[in-house]
Amino acid sequence: LTAGGGGNDVQWCFSQVKGAIDDDVAEADIISTVEFNHSGELLATGDKGGRVVIFQQETENKSQPQCRSEYNVYSTFQSHEPEFDYLKSLEIEEKINKIRWLPQKNAAQFLLSTNDKTIKLWKISERDKRPEGYNLKEEDGRYRDAATITTLRVPVFRPMDLMVEASPRRVFANAHTYHINSISVNSDNETYLSADDLRINLWHLEITDRSFNIVDIKPANMEELTEVITAAEFHPHQCNTFVYSSSKGTIRLCDMRASALCDKHSKLFEEPEDPSNRSFFSEIISSISDVKFSHNGRYMMTRDYLSVKIWDLNMENRPVETYQVHEYLRSKLCSLYENDCIFDKFECCWNGNDSVVMTGSYNNFFRMLDRTQRRDVTLEASRESCKPRQVLKPRRVCAGGKRKKDEISVDSLDFNKKILHTAWHPQENIIAVATTNNLYIFQEKVN
Amino acid sequence: MDVEAKRIMALSISKLYSLRTQRGGLRLHRSLLLSMTMRAARDIYHTAQLLRDAEEEQVVPCAPDAAPEEPMEISKDSPQSLTPKEVAMKPQEPKETLEEDKENRCASERHSRKRSVKTALETDSLPLKKAKMETDEEKQHLQGEVFRTNNGNSCRQAETLTAFPTNRTIVAC
């Protein structure tokens, strides 16, 4: 499979779907985050029930190009449990908000997972050998009668069935008053940031009992609160640089070398609002739900309710590219406010070489936006297109007027079927798309 | 336009209240967005209402001015008060415009509000019980206001507190 070009010259095929088939979705099974690791070999999902499921790509059979690499369950563990804050009489949800992988340093894999209040560092390691031939114990663990021991031997490692163990190595707790929305590992591989609605903290991966507050936008008088932090991310290469987005549609770039508290931004990215689009809901739809740096570190992408914007880090006054995700929803904002869909937080992601970006929509549609070819396509994650290697057909939404054949009208869209979380393999054209409780894996068509 | 504004305002208020019962604690981001939308709708609605009242003054002898003013002031501040911190720190002005039997209660609340403000600032904790009490009160006034303006006849003021079922029907659309 070739490295990351995507878009319209690529045909996407169904590869796998994970999760229960029945329509009755248990709340705990709702997928809340999806993330490939740095090599793409592992794919992690987090759900509302606090569980993490990791899939591993089977090593390809290179001699048979037709043979597609599949992702199979590698490890499942309960990352977070529901908690109760007795002081504030508040329940703390176990839902996993974000998972971020650490770059691999040794045989084990490490990831950070977070719920609203607590971040945990998990070590995932394989065990395929075990020591056998103890002097004092039987193979099943029972202790031998000391009187029967007449010889001494050295225990040896013997192969066993592969066991994958997940163990919590660090728990980073009690540092956030508000709900954590982002975590991001620094390129220095020693620190990471966690962001809640009003503050961003910097942690050292080894130190759990304290963190440094680097951004604090809490006003002295909470009645003067006008915006909150919605997402934050470290620059992929510059360990001193990070960005955070706000509910007002702005992005601030901060340099940690400038001062200890980065309340004063180095750059402010903001596009003036189009006055002709003003409505009751302008504030809500301009709120940024996700921000992601490009792999090359020159651009960043933001997602708000109706669009995806690409920003050049050297240009603050407007994005260099804007893509409409589902502009046909602009006239439906009142209904979407009524059914709460207007508050949905869609994520977005880059492909390996930053030429294509992807984001989700409703009716289990997701959008691929090709930056180089300036074309876009809408695809659907559906149980009806689940035959192995079945090519996905582009979908079209009819905004109004006469509906063409194969088009779907806006009013027929299912707003309960939303794709909020998507991930793109860092090197290959393999994408993971999460519907409510299923994970779809699509791959580039191989001829 | 103001019919739409009123609808959005009522919708926003009901959403803000339902936020309190959600699992996981009050979502600051969502309540901020709801408050802002509510305020935008309320501003437009009140502007239209004031214009209409100015016209009606000549027609309806039963003076509508005094009664609607009070809850308007309350609701003016209530969106700001509807996040837990903000409820704790609610300004004193709206309470002063309440009917007399509430003023006494007000005085003690004001005192305890001050205390809880300090606490809130120090510990970032939400005095939830306190908030609930205040917002129930607000709710009565807000819903009363919506009902009242529905009819445009403030002579019905005495009936507002019993108007809940009707109001809920409207809000729950």
Side-chain angles (χ1 to χ4, degrees), chain A residues 59-82:
Chain A
T59 28
E60 273 178 74
N61 196 338
K62 297 265 187 233
S63 62
Q64 293 187 337
Q66 249 67 18
C67 187
R68 318 183 124 252
S69 45
E70 285 204 336
Y71 282 84
N72 297 315
V73 177
Y74 180 64
S75 173
T76 304
F77 57 93
Q78 186 75 32
S79 171
H80 287 71
E81 298 275 3

PDB file of all heavy atoms in Angstrom, chain A residues 59-82:
ATOM      1  N   THR A  59       0.228  -8.770  10.615  1.00  0.00           N
ATOM      2  CA  THR A  59       1.336  -8.509   9.688  1.00  0.00           C
ATOM      3  C   THR A  59       0.948  -8.999   8.309  1.00  0.00           C
ATOM      4  O   THR A  59       0.483 -10.105   8.128  1.00  0.00           O
ATOM      5  CB  THR A  59       2.630  -9.215  10.127  1.00  0.00           C
ATOM      6  OG1 THR A  59       2.270 -10.373  10.859  1.00  0.00           O
ATOM      7  CG2 THR A  59       3.463  -8.300  10.994  1.00  0.00           C
ATOM      8  N   GLU A  60       1.110  -8.094   7.357  1.00  0.00           N
ATOM      9  CA  GLU A  60       0.711  -8.382   5.973  1.00  0.00           C
ATOM     10  C   GLU A  60       1.521  -9.511   5.401  1.00  0.00           C
ATOM     11  O   GLU A  60       2.692  -9.667   5.683  1.00  0.00           O
ATOM     12  CB  GLU A  60       0.978  -7.169   5.096  1.00  0.00           C
ATOM     13  CG  GLU A  60      -0.157  -6.180   5.065  1.00  0.00           C
ATOM     14  CD  GLU A  60       0.241  -4.998   4.218  1.00  0.00           C
ATOM     15  OE1 GLU A  60       0.279  -5.137   2.987  1.00  0.00           O
ATOM     16  OE2 GLU A  60       0.543  -3.955   4.804  1.00  0.00           O
ATOM     17  N   ASN A  61       0.875 -10.205   4.522  1.00  0.00           N
ATOM     18  CA  ASN A  61       1.567 -11.222   3.754  1.00  0.00           C
ATOM     19  C   ASN A  61       2.008 -10.547   2.457  1.00  0.00           C
ATOM     20  O   ASN A  61       1.226 -10.365   1.533  1.00  0.00           O
ATOM     21  CB  ASN A  61       0.601 -12.382   3.472  1.00  0.00           C
ATOM     22  CG  ASN A  61       1.346 -13.606   3.022  1.00  0.00           C
ATOM     23  OD1 ASN A  61       2.477 -13.517   2.543  1.00  0.00           O
ATOM     24  ND2 ASN A  61       0.719 -14.753   3.177  1.00  0.00           N
ATOM     25  N   LYS A  62       3.265 -10.103   2.437  1.00  0.00           N
ATOM     26  CA  LYS A  62       3.716  -9.255   1.330  1.00  0.00           C
ATOM     27  C   LYS A  62       3.687  -9.974  -0.016  1.00  0.00           C
ATOM     28  O   LYS A  62       3.558  -9.372  -1.059  1.00  0.00           O
ATOM     29  CB  LYS A  62       5.143  -8.739   1.583  1.00  0.00           C
ATOM     30  CG  LYS A  62       5.266  -7.858   2.803  1.00  0.00           C
ATOM     31  CD  LYS A  62       5.161  -6.385   2.440  1.00  0.00           C
ATOM     32  CE  LYS A  62       5.459  -5.522   3.655  1.00  0.00           C
ATOM     33  NZ  LYS A  62       4.458  -4.558   3.959  1.00  0.00           N
ATOM     34  N   SER A  63       3.798 -11.275   0.051  1.00  0.00           N
ATOM     35  CA  SER A  63       3.845 -12.008  -1.216  1.00  0.00           C
ATOM     36  C   SER A  63       2.472 -12.072  -1.869  1.00  0.00           C
ATOM     37  O   SER A  63       2.338 -12.339  -3.044  1.00  0.00           O
ATOM     38  CB  SER A  63       4.382 -13.419  -0.986  1.00  0.00           C
ATOM     39  OG  SER A  63       3.503 -14.116  -0.112  1.00  0.00           O
ATOM     40  N   GLN A  64       1.444 -11.804  -1.074  1.00  0.00           N
ATOM     41  CA  GLN A  64       0.096 -11.818  -1.626  1.00  0.00           C
ATOM     42  C   GLN A  64      -0.534 -10.444  -1.462  1.00  0.00           C
ATOM     43  O   GLN A  64      -1.158 -10.181  -0.444  1.00  0.00           O
ATOM     44  CB  GLN A  64      -0.765 -12.861  -0.904  1.00  0.00           C
ATOM     45  CG  GLN A  64      -0.345 -14.292  -1.153  1.00  0.00           C
ATOM     46  CD  GLN A  64      -1.345 -15.265  -0.537  1.00  0.00           C
ATOM     47  OE1 GLN A  64      -2.060 -14.919   0.387  1.00  0.00           O
ATOM     48  NE2 GLN A  64      -1.369 -16.471  -1.058  1.00  0.00           N
ATOM     49  N   PRO A  65      -0.369  -9.573  -2.453  1.00  0.00           N
ATOM     50  CA  PRO A  65      -0.895  -8.213  -2.306  1.00  0.00           C
ATOM     51  C   PRO A  65      -2.413  -8.173  -2.120  1.00  0.00           C
ATOM     52  O   PRO A  65      -2.951  -7.231  -1.574  1.00  0.00           O
ATOM     53  CB  PRO A  65      -0.477  -7.518  -3.616  1.00  0.00           C
ATOM     54  CG  PRO A  65      -0.137  -8.605  -4.561  1.00  0.00           C
ATOM     55  CD  PRO A  65       0.247  -9.802  -3.760  1.00  0.00           C
ATOM     56  N   GLN A  66      -3.094  -9.198  -2.577  1.00  0.00           N
ATOM     57  CA  GLN A  66      -4.558  -9.223  -2.428  1.00  0.00           C
ATOM     58  C   GLN A  66      -4.966  -9.371  -0.972  1.00  0.00           C
ATOM     59  O   GLN A  66      -6.043  -9.002  -0.570  1.00  0.00           O
ATOM     60  CB  GLN A  66      -5.148 -10.418  -3.221  1.00  0.00           C
ATOM     61  CG  GLN A  66      -5.957 -10.008  -4.415  1.00  0.00           C
ATOM     62  CD  GLN A  66      -5.085  -9.355  -5.471  1.00  0.00           C
ATOM     63  OE1 GLN A  66      -3.875  -9.497  -5.458  1.00  0.00           O
ATOM     64  NE2 GLN A  66      -5.697  -8.634  -6.367  1.00  0.00           N
ATOM     65  N   CYS A  67      -4.034  -9.943  -0.228  1.00  0.00           N
ATOM     66  CA  CYS A  67      -4.352 -10.227   1.163  1.00  0.00           C
ATOM     67  C   CYS A  67      -4.283  -8.951   1.985  1.00  0.00           C
ATOM     68  O   CYS A  67      -3.230  -8.346   2.112  1.00  0.00           O
ATOM     69  CB  CYS A  67      -3.360 -11.272   1.684  1.00  0.00           C
ATOM     70  SG  CYS A  67      -3.769 -11.842   3.334  1.00  0.00           S
ATOM     71  N   ARG A  68      -5.405  -8.513   2.495  1.00  0.00           N
ATOM     72  CA  ARG A  68      -5.438  -7.250   3.198  1.00  0.00           C
ATOM     73  C   ARG A  68      -5.160  -7.463   4.671  1.00  0.00           C
ATOM     74  O   ARG A  68      -5.585  -8.436   5.248  1.00  0.00           O
ATOM     75  CB  ARG A  68      -6.817  -6.614   3.024  1.00  0.00           C
ATOM     76  CG  ARG A  68      -7.281  -6.776   1.602  1.00  0.00           C
ATOM     77  CD  ARG A  68      -8.583  -6.125   1.342  1.00  0.00           C
ATOM     78  NE  ARG A  68      -8.401  -5.194   0.240  1.00  0.00           N
ATOM     79  CZ  ARG A  68      -8.402  -3.892   0.385  1.00  0.00           C
ATOM     80  NH1 ARG A  68      -8.608  -3.369   1.545  1.00  0.00           N
ATOM     81  NH2 ARG A  68      -8.209  -3.119  -0.643  1.00  0.00           N
ATOM     82  N   SER A  69      -4.446  -6.510   5.230  1.00  0.00           N
ATOM     83  CA  SER A  69      -4.140  -6.633   6.656  1.00  0.00           C
ATOM     84  C   SER A  69      -5.379  -6.283   7.453  1.00  0.00           C
ATOM     85  O   SER A  69      -6.036  -5.285   7.195  1.00  0.00           O
ATOM     86  CB  SER A  69      -2.988  -5.711   7.006  1.00  0.00           C
ATOM     87  OG  SER A  69      -3.188  -4.457   6.411  1.00  0.00           O
ATOM     88  N   GLU A  70      -5.687  -7.119   8.403  1.00  0.00           N
ATOM     89  CA  GLU A  70      -6.877  -6.906   9.214  1.00  0.00           C
ATOM     90  C   GLU A  70      -6.502  -6.478  10.613  1.00  0.00           C
ATOM     91  O   GLU A  70      -5.417  -6.794  11.107  1.00  0.00           O
ATOM     92  CB  GLU A  70      -7.665  -8.213   9.306  1.00  0.00           C
ATOM     93  CG  GLU A  70      -8.411  -8.548   8.049  1.00  0.00           C
ATOM     94  CD  GLU A  70      -9.585  -9.468   8.333  1.00  0.00           C
ATOM     95  OE1 GLU A  70      -9.538 -10.170   9.362  1.00  0.00           O
ATOM     96  OE2 GLU A  70     -10.513  -9.482   7.520  1.00  0.00           O
ATOM     97  N   TYR A  71      -7.440  -5.781  11.233  1.00  0.00           N
ATOM     98  CA  TYR A  71      -7.240  -5.380  12.617  1.00  0.00           C
ATOM     99  C   TYR A  71      -8.049  -6.315  13.500  1.00  0.00           C
ATOM    100  O   TYR A  71      -9.259  -6.502  13.299  1.00  0.00           O
ATOM    101  CB  TYR A  71      -7.702  -3.930  12.815  1.00  0.00           C
ATOM    102  CG  TYR A  71      -6.693  -2.928  12.312  1.00  0.00           C
ATOM    103  CD1 TYR A  71      -6.659  -2.557  10.965  1.00  0.00           C
ATOM    104  CD2 TYR A  71      -5.741  -2.361  13.168  1.00  0.00           C
ATOM    105  CE1 TYR A  71      -5.715  -1.646  10.488  1.00  0.00           C
ATOM    106  CE2 TYR A  71      -4.807  -1.442  12.705  1.00  0.00           C
ATOM    107  CZ  TYR A  71      -4.789  -1.095  11.362  1.00  0.00           C
ATOM    108  OH  TYR A  71      -3.867  -0.202  10.897  1.00  0.00           O
ATOM    109  N   ASN A  72      -7.386  -6.910  14.461  1.00  0.00           N
ATOM    110  CA  ASN A  72      -8.069  -7.811  15.390  1.00  0.00           C
ATOM    111  C   ASN A  72      -7.842  -7.346  16.813  1.00  0.00           C
ATOM    112  O   ASN A  72      -6.847  -6.671  17.113  1.00  0.00           O
ATOM    113  CB  ASN A  72      -7.570  -9.238  15.210  1.00  0.00           C
ATOM    114  CG  ASN A  72      -7.892  -9.750  13.815  1.00  0.00           C
ATOM    115  OD1 ASN A  72      -9.003  -9.564  13.320  1.00  0.00           O
ATOM    116  ND2 ASN A  72      -6.924 -10.366  13.162  1.00  0.00           N
ATOM    117  N   VAL A  73      -8.753  -7.742  17.663  1.00  0.00           N
ATOM    118  CA  VAL A  73      -8.658  -7.297  19.049  1.00  0.00           C
ATOM    119  C   VAL A  73      -7.343  -7.752  19.664  1.00  0.00           C
ATOM    120  O   VAL A  73      -6.969  -8.923  19.588  1.00  0.00           O
ATOM    121  CB  VAL A  73      -9.845  -7.816  19.889  1.00  0.00           C
ATOM    122  CG1 VAL A  73      -9.679  -7.390  21.340  1.00  0.00           C
ATOM    123  CG2 VAL A  73     -11.159  -7.293  19.337  1.00  0.00           C
ATOM    124  N   TYR A  74      -6.676  -6.802  20.266  1.00  0.00           N
ATOM    125  CA  TYR A  74      -5.350  -7.057  20.853  1.00  0.00           C
ATOM    126  C   TYR A  74      -5.438  -7.015  22.368  1.00  0.00           C
ATOM    127  O   TYR A  74      -4.877  -7.826  23.073  1.00  0.00           O
ATOM    128  CB  TYR A  74      -4.402  -5.978  20.321  1.00  0.00           C
ATOM    129  CG  TYR A  74      -2.975  -6.026  20.783  1.00  0.00           C
ATOM    130  CD1 TYR A  74      -2.134  -7.097  20.461  1.00  0.00           C
ATOM    131  CD2 TYR A  74      -2.442  -4.980  21.522  1.00  0.00           C
ATOM    132  CE1 TYR A  74      -0.814  -7.119  20.879  1.00  0.00           C
ATOM    133  CE2 TYR A  74      -1.114  -4.990  21.933  1.00  0.00           C
ATOM    134  CZ  TYR A  74      -0.304  -6.060  21.605  1.00  0.00           C
ATOM    135  OH  TYR A  74       1.012  -6.069  22.005  1.00  0.00           O
ATOM    136  N   SER A  75      -6.168  -6.025  22.867  1.00  0.00           N
ATOM    137  CA  SER A  75      -6.307  -5.880  24.312  1.00  0.00           C
ATOM    138  C   SER A  75      -7.577  -5.103  24.626  1.00  0.00           C
ATOM    139  O   SER A  75      -7.961  -4.203  23.872  1.00  0.00           O
ATOM    140  CB  SER A  75      -5.085  -5.128  24.862  1.00  0.00           C
ATOM    141  OG  SER A  75      -5.270  -4.842  26.238  1.00  0.00           O
ATOM    142  N   THR A  76      -8.221  -5.482  25.721  1.00  0.00           N
ATOM    143  CA  THR A  76      -9.401  -4.752  26.196  1.00  0.00           C
ATOM    144  C   THR A  76      -9.241  -4.546  27.682  1.00  0.00           C
ATOM    145  O   THR A  76      -8.884  -5.489  28.391  1.00  0.00           O
ATOM    146  CB  THR A  76     -10.684  -5.561  25.944  1.00  0.00           C
ATOM    147  OG1 THR A  76     -10.777  -5.875  24.560  1.00  0.00           O
ATOM    148  CG2 THR A  76     -11.917  -4.771  26.349  1.00  0.00           C
ATOM    149  N   PHE A  77      -9.456  -3.344  28.145  1.00  0.00           N
ATOM    150  CA  PHE A  77      -9.359  -3.119  29.589  1.00  0.00           C
ATOM    151  C   PHE A  77     -10.245  -1.967  30.020  1.00  0.00           C
ATOM    152  O   PHE A  77     -10.625  -1.119  29.212  1.00  0.00           O
ATOM    153  CB  PHE A  77      -7.903  -2.880  30.016  1.00  0.00           C
ATOM    154  CG  PHE A  77      -7.222  -1.727  29.326  1.00  0.00           C
ATOM    155  CD1 PHE A  77      -7.208  -0.457  29.882  1.00  0.00           C
ATOM    156  CD2 PHE A  77      -6.556  -1.928  28.110  1.00  0.00           C
ATOM    157  CE1 PHE A  77      -6.561   0.599  29.241  1.00  0.00           C
ATOM    158  CE2 PHE A  77      -5.919  -0.873  27.466  1.00  0.00           C
ATOM    159  CZ  PHE A  77      -5.919   0.393  28.036  1.00  0.00           C
ATOM    160  N   GLN A  78     -10.573  -1.988  31.281  1.00  0.00           N
ATOM    161  CA  GLN A  78     -11.391  -0.933  31.871  1.00  0.00           C
ATOM    162  C   GLN A  78     -10.443   0.170  32.313  1.00  0.00           C
ATOM    163  O   GLN A  78      -9.660  -0.010  33.236  1.00  0.00           O
ATOM    164  CB  GLN A  78     -12.167  -1.495  33.078  1.00  0.00           C
ATOM    165  CG  GLN A  78     -13.166  -0.524  33.686  1.00  0.00           C
ATOM    166  CD  GLN A  78     -14.407  -0.368  32.829  1.00  0.00           C
ATOM    167  OE1 GLN A  78     -14.831  -1.309  32.157  1.00  0.00           O
ATOM    168  NE2 GLN A  78     -15.006   0.801  32.841  1.00  0.00           N
ATOM    169  N   SER A  79     -10.489   1.300  31.614  1.00  0.00           N
ATOM    170  CA  SER A  79      -9.554   2.372  31.932  1.00  0.00           C
ATOM    171  C   SER A  79     -10.048   3.222  33.097  1.00  0.00           C
ATOM    172  O   SER A  79      -9.315   3.482  34.038  1.00  0.00           O
ATOM    173  CB  SER A  79      -9.355   3.259  30.699  1.00  0.00           C
ATOM    174  OG  SER A  79      -8.626   4.414  31.021  1.00  0.00           O
ATOM    175  N   HIS A  80     -11.302   3.664  33.007  1.00  0.00           N
ATOM    176  CA  HIS A  80     -11.849   4.541  34.038  1.00  0.00           C
ATOM    177  C   HIS A  80     -13.166   3.979  34.561  1.00  0.00           C
ATOM    178  O   HIS A  80     -13.912   3.341  33.819  1.00  0.00           O
ATOM    179  CB  HIS A  80     -12.110   5.948  33.471  1.00  0.00           C
ATOM    180  CG  HIS A  80     -10.865   6.754  33.233  1.00  0.00           C
ATOM    181  ND1 HIS A  80      -9.973   6.470  32.227  1.00  0.00           N
ATOM    182  CD2 HIS A  80     -10.356   7.834  33.877  1.00  0.00           C
ATOM    183  CE1 HIS A  80      -8.978   7.345  32.252  1.00  0.00           C
ATOM    184  NE2 HIS A  80      -9.183   8.192  33.241  1.00  0.00           N
ATOM    185  N   GLU A  81     -13.385   4.220  35.850  1.00  0.00           N
ATOM    186  CA  GLU A  81     -14.648   3.820  36.473  1.00  0.00           C
ATOM    187  C   GLU A  81     -15.434   5.071  36.837  1.00  0.00           C
ATOM    188  O   GLU A  81     -14.837   6.131  37.021  1.00  0.00           O
ATOM    189  CB  GLU A  81     -14.358   3.041  37.773  1.00  0.00           C
ATOM    190  CG  GLU A  81     -13.582   1.755  37.584  1.00  0.00           C
ATOM    191  CD  GLU A  81     -14.467   0.570  37.238  1.00  0.00           C
ATOM    192  OE1 GLU A  81     -15.691   0.769  37.088  1.00  0.00           O
ATOM    193  OE2 GLU A  81     -13.942  -0.543  37.111  1.00  0.00           O
ATOM    194  N   PRO A  82     -16.753   4.951  36.951  1.00  0.00           N
ATOM    195  CA  PRO A  82     -17.502   6.130  37.415  1.00  0.00           C
ATOM    196  C   PRO A  82     -17.089   6.475  38.835  1.00  0.00           C
ATOM    197  O   PRO A  82     -16.806   5.589  39.638  1.00  0.00           O
ATOM    198  CB  PRO A  82     -18.969   5.673  37.363  1.00  0.00           C
ATOM    199  CG  PRO A  82     -18.967   4.234  37.091  1.00  0.00           C
ATOM    200  CD  PRO A  82     -17.605   3.806  36.660  1.00  0.00           C
TER     201      PRO A  82
END
